[in-house]
Amino acid sequence: MSDPFTHGHEMYYKIKELQDSTNNMVTAGFSTRYGGVSQKPFRSLNLGLHVKDIDHNVIDNRRRLAESIDTQLDQWVFADQVHGSDICKVEQTDKGKGSKSLESGIIGMDGLYTRERGLVLALAYADCVPIFFLSEESHIVGIAHAGWKGSVRGIAARMVDTWVTNEEVAVDSIHVFVGPSIQECCYEVDQRVISQVDDSLDDEDPRPYTAKGNSKYQLNLQRLNKQLLMRAGVPEKNVHLTKLCTSCNVDRFFSHRKENGATGRMLGFIMLEQ
Ligand SMILES: [Zn+2]
């Protein structure tokens, strides 16, 4: 099966299936490290304002990405992310928040969703898992940032539960696309992490990791999130995983682990078209 994330533009992978299946009602993607102005170690399309890059370069990069999908940067909404599981609904009054400064982003949120057209929801990543949500029939989109902490804290299920409870979305109408992140091939973790992964799952669930001995494990965050989404009621056929690994592909992506923390950030973004 072909990967749901395809390299349609120098600056980003797009979720072709999501755009095609909705007749381009939704635009969504995940940026690469190509096509920006930042210098080493942020070369070149660093989109994170919190990594000690030069702010005006980051804003220039964000503007380039915004223009590449025919939007203006002031339509974009960013969050100040904390590896938590809180999510919030974004309205027109939030337009532009966090787009040009860290402080103006929506505070303490790792998930955003909206029913408004023309707002681009954006979150920053370098190995953590970008999760994109859509219910076409309910005209709602969302995005979450799930590292191991956000994953075990259940941010993916929180998005689903919030939509079902507060937005009257039918759970089987929700489609989820899980984007480029560090994958099992490159993600070694210790017992402390695995204990919390186990706590987040039921006893009968298959384990999304491989034990290597010496209390070391290779963790598959994509599969963990898929299992948590299915437990929240999303049909398995509606959950689409990429095979792209950020750490295996540091020529294309920033990888926090592979580059020992000195690196830039990609953006995941999603928008209901005007
Ligand atoms: Zn890898």
Side-chain angles (χ1 to χ4, degrees):
M1 222 175 78
S2 63
D3 200 280
F5 287 75
T6 56
H7 202 181
H9 187 283
E10 178 193 33
M11 287 186 190
Y12 61 89
Y13 281 77
K14 62 179 180 180
I15 313 177
K16 190 171 181 303
E17 187 181 329
L18 186 156
Q19 296 188 196
D20 289 351
S21 67
T22 61
N23 288 323
N24 296 315
M25 178 185 101
V26 178
T27 294
F30 189 74
S31 68
T32 67
R33 63 190 298 166
Y34 305 136
V37 297
S38 292
Q39 301 300 310
K40 264 185 172 175
F42 308 111
R43 207 159 69 201
S44 65
L45 191 67
N46 169 42
L47 299 163
L49 280 168
H50 58 296
V51 293
K52 301 195 169 68
D53 192 0
I54 299 163
D55 281 1
H56 69 78
N57 284 349
V58 178
I59 293 164
D60 190 0
N61 289 340
R62 287 181 171 188
R63 222 173 249 129
R64 287 168 184 236
L65 179 66
E67 285 168 8
S68 77
I69 60 161
D70 298 321
T71 60
Q72 299 297 313
L73 186 53
D74 63 11
Q75 289 170 248
W76 288 54
V77 181
F78 294 76
D80 176 30
Q81 304 161 218
V82 293
H83 290 279
S85 62
D86 286 340
I87 67 177
C88 82
K89 185 173 184 174
V90 175
E91 309 280 4
Q92 287 293 344
T93 48
D94 297 313
K95 213 170 155 180
K97 281 186 180 173
S99 60
K100 295 185 185 110
S101 74
L102 203 53
E103 308 76 57
S104 64
I106 299 178
I107 301 293
M109 292 296 157
D110 287 273
L112 302 173
Y113 72 91
T114 193
R115 289 176 174 277
E116 303 281 347
R117 294 170 192 269
L119 286 179
V120 189
L121 309 181
L123 294 173
Y125 305 83
D127 290 340
C128 290
V129 185
I131 310 181
F132 302 80
F133 300 79
L134 158 77
S135 168
E136 187 180 3
E137 67 174 37
S138 292
H139 212 81
I140 187 168
V141 293
I143 186 166
H145 162 251
W148 74 265
K149 288 181 186 164
S151 299
V152 300
R153 287 169 181 162
I155 191 164
R158 289 246 336 240
M159 184 74 78
V160 171
D161 293 343
T162 303
W163 283 15
V164 170
T165 307
N166 298 352
E167 304 290 337
E168 295 176 355
V169 174
V171 72
D172 58 3
S173 76
I174 300 173
H175 282 259
V176 184
F177 293 82
V178 182
S181 71
I182 195 164
Q183 301 269 9
E184 186 168 354
C185 43
C186 296
Y187 195 41
E188 184 186 280
V189 298
D190 58 20
Q191 185 62 50
R192 181 182 62 106
V193 173
I194 290 302
S195 301
Q196 295 185 54
V197 169
D198 285 338
D199 289 346
S200 75
L201 294 168
D202 280 337
D203 290 342
E204 63 266 27
D205 286 322
R207 302 291 100 169
Y209 54 78
T210 312
K212 303 200 309 178
N214 288 333
S215 298
K216 299 289 184 198
Y217 301 82
Q218 295 296 126
L219 174 58
N220 189 326
L221 285 175
Q222 303 239 336
R223 237 171 68 211
L224 171 61
N225 278 289
K226 181 174 180 177
Q227 287 175 220
L228 295 171
L229 283 159
M230 286 165 58
R231 280 185 44 199
V234 179
E236 180 169 15
K237 66 176 172 49
N238 290 10
V239 184
H240 312 269
L241 308 184
T242 185
K243 289 191 173 60
L244 290 164
C245 174
T246 46
S247 174
C248 282
N249 295 289
V250 275
D251 56 325
R252 276 182 274 175
F253 298 119
F254 299 111
S255 172
H256 191 267
R257 180 165 286 211
K258 186 80 169 244
E259 298 173 281
N260 298 313
T263 191
R265 294 292 181 275
M266 286 85 66
L267 289 181
F269 54 89
I270 191 164
M271 167 178 69
L272 289 166
E273 286 286 348
Q274 308 267 18

